[in-house]
Amino acid sequence: MKIYTLMENTVKNENFCCEHGLSLYVETARHKLLFDTGGSAAFADNAAKLGVDLSQVDLCIISHGHNDHGGGLAKFLELNSTAPIYISRYGFERHFSGTEREISIPAALQDSGRFVLVDDYLKIDDELELCSCNDKKAQHFADSFGLNMLQGDEVVPDDFRHEQYLTIHENERKVLLSGCSHKGILNLMEWLKPDICIGGFHFMKLATCGADAKVLQEAAQALEALPAEYFTCHCTGAEQYAYLKERMTRLYYLAAGDVLEL
């Protein structure tokens, strides 16, 4: 399996561009898949520099309904005319950062006819599974950090029912791809028990001192106690990653332009 980081908040080197967003291209034994599209069309520029032909992608997964993960969808639809796009049934609901700034994926994109609306669980084939974990009980608290959703006419804290996770089964390993882990990375590790976890941990709004540092410290200890490997990025935060890295032996960072071979 090869994983190309097409977009992320940081860059491997000056040949690539970055933005607040995430996009991964994954080649498995059976598939050429796109996991998220970043916040704009820029992920496609990085793909070209990495030699990734987006027209050959055979399926696309959108992890959740925020525009830093689905903002490049219009560009993907332009470049690829065949791949189905798997998104949560709730993925086109309206979402906000705070109460004023909308961060939704444009609902008009549904008119393309390319979207597969996913309920809580979908087995795509023997290699790929999607799961929202909406039916799972959280053992660890996960803060919404000011992210909200529209419920009726009221803006309320997001319950992240629109977030889904991709599990790839290959060579007797379970590889988990999570866009932001809004439901809590510790919860996801308990629920899905992957051998390898790739994605954002949503720690970027936590300080590395005071009470927040205790949260990071406890997360590092709990993750390190598991046998998994972790490749993180995006909403984990650079300062927070450095804090975790000092306390974890199997934690690595993916920046735009990085290619990971598993």
Side-chain angles (χ1 to χ4, degrees):
M1 186 186 308
K2 291 182 77 172
I3 299 170
Y4 298 71
T5 308
L6 303 186
M7 185 52 67
E8 202 268 331
N9 302 33
T10 63
V11 289
K12 177 183 180 180
N13 59 51
E14 61 185 13
N15 294 324
F16 298 94
C17 60
C18 64
E19 65 185 8
H20 179 79
L22 181 66
S23 178
L24 304 172
Y25 167 75
V26 185
E27 290 184 350
T28 71
R30 298 186 183 185
H31 295 286
K32 295 179 178 180
L33 69 91
L34 184 65
F35 185 84
D36 288 343
T37 64
S40 71
F43 80 103
D45 296 330
N46 284 343
K49 292 173 183 176
L50 287 166
V52 172
D53 184 354
L54 293 172
S55 71
Q56 297 303 303
V57 166
D58 61 272
L59 62 90
C60 175
I61 309 293
I62 299 300
S63 64
H64 61 288
H66 290 166
N67 59 13
D68 54 332
H69 294 257
L73 272 169
K75 184 64 175 180
F76 179 67
L77 288 166
E78 174 189 321
L79 295 173
N80 183 298
S81 60
T82 57
I85 303 168
Y86 294 83
I87 190 170
S88 165
R89 184 168 300 282
Y90 309 112
F92 287 105
E93 293 179 338
R94 295 181 67 187
H95 302 105
F96 297 83
S97 177
T99 57
E100 301 293 330
R101 185 165 70 91
E102 186 160 359
I103 55 173
S104 309
I105 295 174
L109 290 172
Q110 294 180 86
D111 296 339
S112 67
R114 297 274 297 281
F115 289 89
V116 178
L117 300 182
V118 181
D119 290 310
D120 284 346
Y121 174 80
L122 178 66
K123 182 175 181 177
I124 297 175
D125 55 28
D126 289 342
E127 191 177 69
L128 306 179
E129 291 179 287
L130 288 170
C131 182
S132 70
C133 297
N134 286 336
D135 60 342
K136 306 290 187 184
K137 185 176 180 179
Q139 300 297 323
H140 305 274
F141 176 72
D143 199 317
S144 63
F145 291 112
L147 295 173
N148 297 306
M149 60 187 284
L150 190 66
Q151 190 173 79
D153 295 326
E154 186 180 2
V155 175
V156 299
D158 204 329
D159 62 7
F160 303 111
R161 65 180 184 172
H162 55 101
E163 185 167 75
Q164 60 183 0
Y165 314 100
L166 174 65
T167 298
I168 305 174
H169 300 271
E170 188 173 280
N171 298 328
E172 300 183 355
R173 293 179 305 184
K174 194 174 183 180
V175 180
L176 172 66
L177 269 64
S178 172
C180 277
S181 311
H182 288 113
K183 294 187 180 90
I185 185 60
L186 297 180
N187 290 318
L188 292 179
M189 294 303 295
E190 287 189 8
W191 294 336
L192 299 173
K193 296 178 171 56
D195 300 297
I196 299 171
C197 178
I198 300 169
F201 291 174
H202 209 248
F203 288 154
M204 66 187 303
K205 292 188 178 181
L206 291 173
T208 55
C209 59
D212 284 358
K214 183 179 179 182
V215 175
L216 290 172
Q217 172 73 27
E218 291 175 352
Q221 290 175 343
L223 293 172
E224 181 70 6
L226 299 172
E229 282 188 290
Y230 307 93
F231 296 88
T232 196
C233 51
H234 181 47
C235 59
T236 299
E239 185 179 347
Q240 293 77 4
Y241 167 75
Y243 183 95
L244 295 170
K245 181 65 176 174
E246 289 179 354
R247 294 158 176 81
M248 296 176 65
T249 59
R250 288 166 276 109
L251 178 68
Y252 312 94
Y253 199 89
L254 297 176
D258 277 330
V259 179
L260 172 65
E261 190 159 2
L262 298 175

